[in-house]
Every structure is written in structure tokens, then in C-alpha cells.
Amino acid sequence: MTDKLYQETLFSFLGEGEPEAIQDTGKGKRTTATNKSRVASKAPKKTSESATKSKPETWELNTETIIRYGGENIPLTDYFTLEEITNGLQDSSPTDEQTSIEEKLRKITGEDVRKRMENDFGELTEELTTMTFNKEKNMIIPVLTARKKGSGMILDRRYGVYLRLEDAVTNRRSNMYVPGADGHMYHIRETEALTICKKARKVPSVPALVEGVRLKFPRIPWGILTQFLIIARQFARTYSSEIHGEIYWDGRYLLVIPAQIVSKHMCEPIEQIFDENHVKVMEIHSHNTMDAYFSAQDDRSEQAPILYAVVGRVLDFFPQILVRTCLDGEYLMIDPHTVFELPFESATNLDFPQVSVKGAENDDTV
């Protein structure tokens, strides 16, 4: 596959709409995939002779020849048959003196070796690779020339993880991973006949992450939650209404009940209280005697990356409580234990020598 065809194939995976402009690495022009621009250097392509430091006729290869690459000694026989090494390859461009039936054999060149190795080592492209032969050691050595480095790239022998599609074009591998605008990583697989692009199930050499939320301030004291529950119970018992509260941080937590309009199924704040010196940590509202759940109206209103809590069945001995946050229009539920302090937790281990746990090792006491 030529470099131009390769780039057109890779850019074909761009979604609908105008593709993002790509910086041409050769002359610095801004261009897009739609005009089929070259992103790699526009230097003339190397021929088979220019791809090897030695002339092809000096390459006296045999079945004992090895290829030194990536810290490994790879037998030449991994890429060529014994017959090809001994007798040579068929000449793909016969001269006028040859008939269509005759076959002309020629010696294996460095470019022949590079082409076959490129199926396993995608970085060994014609533009970036120089093939050398050490006659004394009977060793072929592929040498990669200096390449432009992209930010955030992870390059290994057979795969690359890239931040931009441009970097994948310039430093391509057999397996490439590039983020898409939809937030997914895409796996681009290069074979001799195909370029395949699909959502990646996993990405090599990057850390495994999990969704979650970590509060930068201390957990909200139980007393703050208790204050809100007292207020919520009052409005539920007296008016069967909901109530909205806000929790701020300015070195300590503050519960604020702003001016609002409330009813049995709604609470609407009508004022903004604190300035930039106070950090809004949470908005919390009650559901009076109903269960705790986030309604469709809550989804429309709660779009900021802060904590949101709803308290249901506030007249019960133990009310229900749910906590979540929002990012990019999607919600992430949070365990309330990680947000609020609990009055039932003990700072020290409790010692009860008179209590034995049946089945525990040596009948350990608590």
C-alpha cells in the first residue's frame, strides 16, 4: 500500500462533517482529508536501491542469515522460503527479451526483506526505514530514521497509542489506537489487504481507570445533613411540600436555604446567595413522604459538576437518600457514605472481650 493510499484509507474513518484540519508535516500548510493531502513528509520516495546502504548485488544472503531487530535475532527463513533464499525471487518486471512464459530470478534485496517484515512491524515503512547488511556477521539490520514525535504517543514494536490521527499517519504501526470525538478509543488494524477500524475493547500500555468521584474537602458532617432533615420534616409535616437546600464550603460547611417557591411536587429557588468566595458543593432537596429518586425535572435542572442529593420519606425514622453528580450530560451515582459523615462510625476499635465469634479462628473475641 502506498503512503498516499494508506493516508486516504486511514482518513476515511473520520465521521461525517468537515474533518479537522491536519498540519502538513512537510511544508506546513493547513489541509484536510477531503483534498487527499499528504500528511507525511513530501520528500521523494526511496527506491529499492536507495532503501539499502549497500548495492543489491553485494547482499550474499543464505539460509543462515539473520535479521537483527527489536532486540531479537530473527531467521531470514521466517520471511523467505529455502528456495527463495537459494534461487532468488521472480522478477516482477521482465525485459523485452523475455517471453511471457519465461521467469527471471533475482537476488533478495533489502527492500524485499523490509516489505515482508512490515506485515509484522508496521513501523518499518519505506519512507522511514533503511536496510543495512553486515556481511561479516551475515546479518540484516533495519534502521529507523528520526521521526516527528507527537504529544501523548506510546509507541511499541507492533502498536501505537496516539492523541491525533496525524500522529498515527506519521508513526504508524500494525495496531493503532486513536480517540474519537464520541469519547471512545478506536482500534485501527493494518493488514496487507485491509485497514480495519472499530471501537477498542482495551488499549495496551495505558492505566486501567474506573468511574468515581472523590471529594476534595472533608466529608460533609452529619450535623449538616441533620439540619436539612429537620427542615425537610417540618415542611413535609406542615405543608406536605418539598424543600431545597444548598451546601457551601469556605473553610467549613454551611447549609443555606435560599428563597424559593415550593409545593408538594416542586421546589424552585429564586435567588443566588453566595459569591465566588464560597464553593458550592451540593444541592439537596426533599421528596416529603415519597421515595427518594431523581425525576425528569431534576435531570433537566441538575447539569453542573457538583453533588446533587435527594432525600425521600423524610418522616420515616431513617429517611432514604441518593447522591449523584453530572458530567457531559450524564449522571454518576455516588455512595452517600463517601459524601456524608456517619454518626455510627467509631474512630477507635471497640473492645468486647466478653463476645466470642463462633467459627472465627481460635474463637476470636471482638
Side-chain angles (χ1 to χ4, degrees), residues 30-81:
R30 299 296 290 181
T31 181
T32 67
T34 54
N35 62 20
K36 300 181 180 180
S37 65
R38 294 181 61 83
V39 179
S41 172
K42 292 188 178 181
K45 282 191 174 184
K46 301 176 183 178
T47 63
S48 296
E49 286 81 14
S50 65
T52 61
K53 289 186 177 179
S54 303
K55 294 181 180 180
E57 59 266 20
T58 65
W59 285 49
E60 300 295 337
L61 307 179
N62 54 56
T63 56
E64 301 300 321
T65 302
I66 62 173
I67 306 168
R68 182 66 179 178
Y69 186 68
E72 298 182 29
N73 289 334
I74 306 172
L76 184 62
T77 52
D78 282 5
Y79 293 100
F80 296 88
T81 66

Side-chain angles (χ1 to χ4, degrees), residues 103-144:
E103 293 182 346
K104 181 181 178 181
L105 299 178
R106 60 173 178 80
K107 292 183 178 181
I108 296 172
T109 68
E111 178 64 4
D112 296 324
V113 179
R114 184 202 65 76
K115 285 182 177 179
R116 297 199 180 184
M117 292 187 67
E118 189 177 4
N119 292 327
D120 290 333
F121 305 95
E123 69 272 18
L124 296 180
T125 62
E126 184 178 359
E127 291 79 7
L128 303 176
T129 309
T130 299
M131 303 295 291
T132 64
F133 178 64
N134 188 316
K135 186 174 182 179
E136 294 181 0
K137 295 184 178 181
N138 195 19
M139 179 184 296
I140 300 171
I141 306 173
V143 179
L144 289 176

Side-chain angles (χ1 to χ4, degrees), residues 25 144-153 155 162 164 166-167 170-171 173:
T25 59
L144 289 176
T145 58
R147 297 164 291 174
K148 177 182 177 182
K149 300 298 189 294
S151 59
M153 291 195 304
L155 300 180
Y162 311 88
R164 303 177 302 167
E166 176 189 358
D167 295 331
T170 307
N171 304 274
R173 296 290 190 271

Side-chain angles (χ1 to χ4, degrees), residues 2-12 14 18-20 22 24 30-40 42 169:
T2 65
D3 186 59
K4 183 175 182 180
L5 179 58
Y6 168 80
Q7 291 173 27
E8 293 174 7
T9 301
L10 195 57
F11 284 127
S12 69
L14 291 171
E18 184 67 18
E20 180 182 358
I22 301 293
D24 186 285
R30 299 296 290 181
T31 181
T32 67
T34 54
N35 62 20
K36 300 181 180 180
S37 65
R38 294 181 61 83
V39 179
K42 292 188 178 181
V169 172

Side-chain angles (χ1 to χ4, degrees), residues 89-107:
L89 303 177
Q90 294 181 11
D91 195 337
S92 59
S93 54
T95 62
D96 293 336
E97 289 78 17
Q98 291 178 277
T99 66
S100 58
I101 301 177
E102 293 177 337
E103 293 182 346
K104 181 181 178 181
L105 299 178
R106 60 173 178 80
K107 292 183 178 181

Side-chain angles (χ1 to χ4, degrees), residues 45-299:
K45 282 191 174 184
K46 301 176 183 178
T47 63
S48 296
E49 286 81 14
S50 65
T52 61
K53 289 186 177 179
S54 303
K55 294 181 180 180
E57 59 266 20
T58 65
W59 285 49
E60 300 295 337
L61 307 179
N62 54 56
T63 56
E64 301 300 321
T65 302
I66 62 173
I67 306 168
R68 182 66 179 178
Y69 186 68
E72 298 182 29
N73 289 334
I74 306 172
L76 184 62
T77 52
D78 282 5
Y79 293 100
F80 296 88
T81 66
L82 296 178
E83 183 179 353
E84 288 175 328
I85 297 173
T86 303
N87 300 327
L89 303 177
Q90 294 181 11
D91 195 337
S92 59
S93 54
T95 62
D96 293 336
E97 289 78 17
Q98 291 178 277
T99 66
S100 58
I101 301 177
E102 293 177 337
E103 293 182 346
K104 181 181 178 181
L105 299 178
R106 60 173 178 80
K107 292 183 178 181
I108 296 172
T109 68
E111 178 64 4
D112 296 324
V113 179
R114 184 202 65 76
K115 285 182 177 179
R116 297 199 180 184
M117 292 187 67
E118 189 177 4
N119 292 327
D120 290 333
F121 305 95
E123 69 272 18
L124 296 180
T125 62
E126 184 178 359
E127 291 79 7
L128 303 176
T129 309
T130 299
M131 303 295 291
T132 64
F133 178 64
N134 188 316
K135 186 174 182 179
E136 294 181 0
K137 295 184 178 181
N138 195 19
M139 179 184 296
I140 300 171
I141 306 173
V143 179
L144 289 176
T145 58
R147 297 164 291 174
K148 177 182 177 182
K149 300 298 189 294
S151 59
M153 291 195 304
I154 300 175
L155 300 180
D156 206 337
R157 284 169 48 194
R158 291 193 170 110
Y159 69 83
V161 183
Y162 311 88
L163 183 61
R164 303 177 302 167
L165 196 62
E166 176 189 358
D167 295 331
V169 172
T170 307
N171 304 274
R172 63 187 184 226
R173 296 290 190 271
S174 297
N175 294 280
M176 298 174 290
Y177 299 85
V178 184
D182 58 1
H184 294 282
M185 286 293 290
Y186 283 83
H187 180 191
I188 301 175
R189 176 72 169 93
E190 279 294 312
T191 70
E192 190 173 7
L194 299 175
T195 300
I196 306 169
C197 180
K198 66 179 292 291
K199 290 181 181 179
R201 293 183 178 179
K202 60 180 180 179
V203 182
S205 295
V206 295
L209 302 177
V210 295
E211 292 183 332
V213 176
R214 193 169 115 191
L215 191 60
K216 291 185 176 181
F217 307 125
R219 286 190 297 171
I220 298 173
W222 177 256
I224 294 290
L225 181 58
T226 301
Q227 291 178 29
F228 180 78
L229 287 173
I230 292 173
I231 298 169
R233 287 170 65 89
Q234 173 66 19
F235 276 85
R237 183 180 294 110
T238 305
Y239 306 105
S240 298
S241 70
E242 300 183 357
I243 190 69
H244 169 89
E246 299 175 359
I247 299 176
Y248 291 83
W249 171 267
D250 67 349
R252 62 189 181 95
Y253 283 108
L254 302 172
L255 172 65
V256 175
I257 306 297
Q260 56 192 284
I261 299 173
V262 302
S263 68
K264 183 175 182 179
H265 302 289
M266 178 271 296
C267 50
E268 181 182 2
I270 58 176
E271 70 169 342
Q272 180 69 37
I273 296 180
F274 284 96
D275 55 24
E276 63 274 7
N277 296 322
H278 295 79
V279 179
K280 180 185 283 189
V281 178
M282 173 182 284
E283 291 183 2
I284 182 171
H285 71 280
S286 63
H287 269 189
N288 50 69
T289 58
M290 297 181 293
D291 290 337
Y293 67 93
F294 291 102
S295 66
Q297 179 59 54
D298 295 337
D299 291 344

